[in-house]
Amino acid sequence: TLFLIYAPKIPRLPDELKQLASSPPTEVFARDGELLATLGGRSYVSIERISPFFQQALIAAEDKRFFDHSGVDLIATARSLWTNLIRGSGPGASSITQQLTKNMFFSFRRSWERKLLEALASFAIEDRFTKDQILEAYSNLVYFGRYAYGIENASLTYFSKHAAELELQEAAMLAGLLNSPSYLNPFNNLERSKNRQKLVLNRMAAAGMIKTSAIDSLWNVP
């Protein structure tokens, strides 16, 4: 079977996803020991220190059936395959778990073998870790543009506040950035970023996470 053939190629999972999702910064010191610069790295925060608004916005934007599937959203995958067959191209169908797996273990080179291994590794992650652990690791791993890796760094970069303090409209904007961090960057094009923010808010409302009546008052808030 396919599983027996490809199982040996599935990456070995760590005891904690944090081991792969965290990355200490590189510190540059002068000869006298003075810290000159801090480069790269990401500040890892637990799920309890990530705004519930961002957690909801992330799920609405990236994987609305996150809590219902076991690593691969079969409905979204089937729809994506059908769209690709009919139109020749279409939106991606990777779940949050698949995106986490790809970022941790695989290159972004497209191939059927990579997608299969990605799916098998996603099933293994879902079998071993809780949804909150997966959401926590993904939030701390992904890139938000402006050299900001992880939700804590992104919150500080864009809003000068910690991830736990994000309000609804801020959370929606940051979740929207993941679709294309450079193209949707509010520092480069605020209009694009706000349009994506509105889309995320509408998806949250459609999923019952927020009330539709609460959105109108946010349209003019960045």
Side-chain angles (χ1 to χ4, degrees):
T1 66
L2 284 176
F3 179 79
L4 293 177
I5 294 173
Y6 286 100
K9 297 183 179 182
I10 299 174
R12 182 177 179 275
L13 299 181
D15 293 330
E16 295 182 21
L17 288 176
K18 180 180 179 179
Q19 293 175 240
L20 295 178
S22 59
S23 174
T26 298
E27 297 180 330
V28 181
F29 293 90
R31 287 187 177 182
D32 62 2
E34 179 185 0
L35 179 63
L36 298 178
T38 301
L39 307 173
R42 50 178 75 92
S43 301
Y44 194 99
V45 289
S46 67
I47 194 73
E48 293 80 14
R49 292 169 58 200
I50 299 174
S51 166
F53 287 133
F54 177 77
Q55 296 179 43
Q56 292 178 321
L58 178 61
I59 291 169
E62 299 287 307
D63 185 1
K64 66 180 181 181
R65 279 181 286 273
F66 176 66
F67 287 106
D68 298 322
H69 61 66
S70 299
V72 176
D73 186 342
L74 297 179
I75 296 175
T77 299
R79 184 175 61 244
S80 179
L81 288 172
W82 176 253
T83 304
N84 275 276
L85 286 172
I86 299 299
R87 300 180 184 174
S89 64
S94 292
S95 68
I96 285 176
T97 311
Q98 285 176 282
Q99 293 179 57
L100 174 65
T101 302
K102 179 167 58 180
N103 276 276
M104 289 195 304
F105 299 122
F106 300 106
S107 71
F108 285 78
R109 179 177 59 84
R110 289 177 175 271
S111 72
W112 284 107
E113 182 180 57
R114 195 218 75 192
K115 292 296 292 183
L116 177 59
L117 288 172
E118 180 186 294
L120 293 175
S122 296
F123 288 135
I125 285 178
E126 291 264 354
D127 183 62
R128 185 163 181 174
F129 300 99
T130 67
K131 290 289 187 178
D132 277 353
Q133 289 172 323
I134 293 168
L135 199 64
E136 175 184 298
Y138 182 74
S139 298
N140 281 283
L141 182 67
V142 287
Y143 181 58
F144 291 85
R146 302 288 289 192
Y147 305 104
Y149 286 89
I151 185 57
E152 178 71 0
N153 288 356
S155 299
L156 293 170
T157 296
Y158 291 102
F159 298 110
S160 300
K161 60 173 60 176
H162 295 291
E165 302 169 327
L166 288 172
E167 297 178 8
L168 173 58
Q169 68 273 22
E170 297 164 338
M173 181 170 282
L174 290 183
L177 286 180
L178 298 178
N179 183 257
S180 182
S182 297
Y183 182 77
L184 297 171
N185 193 296
F187 292 141
N188 299 333
N189 194 310
L190 183 58
E191 183 178 0
R192 273 188 212 140
S193 185
K194 287 177 72 66
N195 286 337
R196 180 67 181 175
Q197 176 195 45
K198 292 176 184 179
L199 176 62
V200 174
L201 287 167
N202 283 326
R203 288 182 178 179
M204 293 176 74
M209 297 173 177
I210 60 174
K211 294 181 179 180
T212 304
S213 58
I215 299 177
D216 291 340
S217 62
L218 299 175
W219 279 163
N220 296 320
V221 181

